Amino acid sequence: MTSSRPYLVRAIYQWVVDNNHTPHMLVDASGDDVQVPVQYVQDGRIVLNVAPQAVEALNLGDDYISFSARFGGRAQEIFVPVHRVMAVYSRENGQGMMFGEDETPPPGDGGGAERSPSKPEGGGRPGLRVVK
């Protein structure tokens, strides 16, 4: 199954814009596959203002996000793989969505790991465990 992250990124972005707020993205900028101005990266992360009036040619694709924006008065091309987006939120109130590790199953798993309820000893609430 494909990742839901690109769909959620687009949905939250549109929701923030529709409510006349300023959409921001928190991006993991530590990988070589990310193209952002390094002077604005802090602790391996960068916050990008992706408001329609702040960017040009915004592409919220399934695999990557790209746009042109000005940083310190200079136009720069930004390229971020979707799996590097850590959060999309409104600057005004912080509402949005944070993403954990990519939900796409690792290769070889096939996403078909079955889960079966198990009851812990002592009669507590049932839990889930992976059965291989």
Side-chain angles (χ1 to χ4, degrees):
M1 185 171 230
T2 61
S3 173
S4 62
R5 187 175 302 209
Y7 301 94
L8 294 171
V9 166
R10 286 190 292 267
I12 298 300
Y13 172 86
Q14 192 61 54
W15 173 72
V16 171
V17 170
D18 287 351
N19 283 282
N20 297 314
H21 284 206
T22 309
H24 278 60
M25 287 185 189
L26 175 63
V27 173
D28 173 5
S30 63
D32 291 337
D33 53 352
V34 178
Q35 182 179 327
V36 296
V38 294
Q39 64 269 32
Y40 296 98
V41 174
Q42 294 180 345
D43 298 324
R45 298 175 177 178
I46 187 169
V47 175
L48 300 170
N49 175 352
V50 288
Q53 58 272 27
V55 301
E56 289 184 25
L58 178 64
N59 177 14
L60 298 172
D62 287 343
D63 298 321
Y64 64 89
I65 295 166
S66 64
F67 58 90
S68 178
R70 294 183 116 21
F71 292 86
R74 286 188 38 217
Q76 301 224 0
E77 295 299 318
I78 306 301
F79 181 86
V80 176
V82 172
H83 72 273
R84 296 281 185 191
V85 176
M86 301 170 69
V88 180
Y89 61 94
S90 162
R91 180 188 71 196
E92 288 77 6
N93 61 15
Q95 289 187 349
M97 179 175 282
M98 289 195 72
F99 301 101
E101 293 297 316
D102 196 2
E103 67 279 358
T104 303
D109 181 15
E114 294 183 27
R115 302 188 193 302
S116 68
S118 64
K119 196 167 199 168
E121 296 193 27
R125 294 181 59 192
L128 295 177
R129 63 185 167 100
V130 176
V131 177
K132 294 192 178 204

